[in-house]
Amino acid sequence: MRDSRQLLALVEQCLPRVCTLHVLAAVPAPAAVNMGRCRPRTISPTLVMYQRTDTDTFEAAVEITE
């Protein structure tokens, strides 16, 4: 979880105008949930988390906003 917070802080620092961040994380579902939970509500971009489908494509699974 610490690494995801550091990554989000880096994105916010280097790309301050980003409104939406699309995330294709190669992590188990609980880790993806923790990524969304550690996101500061008022300053972070919206996170769109994707999941892999049975046909090896990706689809938006959840959007985490304020």
Side-chain angles (χ1 to χ4, degrees):
M1 184 167 19
R2 184 187 73 204
D3 292 336
S4 61
R5 277 185 265 185
Q6 290 174 336
L7 177 60
L8 187 55
L10 183 62
V11 167
E12 291 174 346
Q13 178 184 3
C14 296
L15 304 166
R17 296 188 316 187
V18 168
C19 295
T20 304
L21 187 61
H22 296 268
V23 180
L24 287 88
V27 297
V33 169
N34 279 333
M35 288 175 68
R37 291 179 65 195
C38 74
R39 176 190 161 276
R41 291 182 174 181
T42 57
I43 59 171
S44 295
T46 296
L47 297 178
V48 180
M49 307 297 281
Y50 286 80
Q51 66 183 4
R52 192 171 74 183
T53 67
D54 293 337
T55 59
D56 286 336
T57 59
F58 289 89
E59 63 183 11
V62 66
E63 185 172 313
I64 303 166
T65 61
E66 290 184 33

